[in-house]
Amino acid sequence: NRLVDVQVIFRQQPKMASRLHCGSRIVFDREGRLLIGLGDRFTGKDEAQNPANHIGKVVRLERDGSKLEVFSLGHRNIQGAALNPRTGELWASEHGPQGGDEVNVVRQG
């Protein structure tokens, strides 16, 4: 009844000092890989479109942390995520400004 042999398999890069837009959800896809939604941390919102970092992205990696890749970009603050049980698509909800919340079908690319 305890957690043992803990191992870090992913760290968001770059590390940011922000308490805003920290939304993050983890979903296993049908192949058992991890899809990790990461917030833009507010001060990093301009980086959400930059594929060279993890800010405002959904990243996909194997369960052991190998084969890290940016799955999608341009996310603001993912607060919920799930696989559609019929299609296997990733659906994610994001908080938007001034009531502009969204539910998105997240596709690779």
Side-chain angles (χ1 to χ4, degrees), residues 2-21:
R2 61 191 182 123
L3 187 61
V4 296
D5 297 327
V6 176
Q7 178 182 355
V8 174
I9 62 169
F10 173 78
R11 289 186 202 273
Q12 177 178 299
Q13 295 296 326
K15 183 176 181 179
M16 297 186 71
S18 173
R19 294 178 180 218
L20 303 170
H21 296 203

Side-chain angles (χ1 to χ4, degrees), residues 52-83:
N53 63 51
H54 303 138
I55 307 303
K57 310 295 187 293
V58 172
V59 296
R60 181 171 63 184
L61 64 153
E62 300 297 330
R63 293 174 84 136
D64 64 1
S66 64
K67 293 188 180 179
L68 174 67
E69 63 182 342
V70 172
F71 185 78
S72 65
L73 51 81
H75 299 280
R76 184 170 191 261
N77 192 18
I78 293 177
Q79 292 294 308
L83 284 190

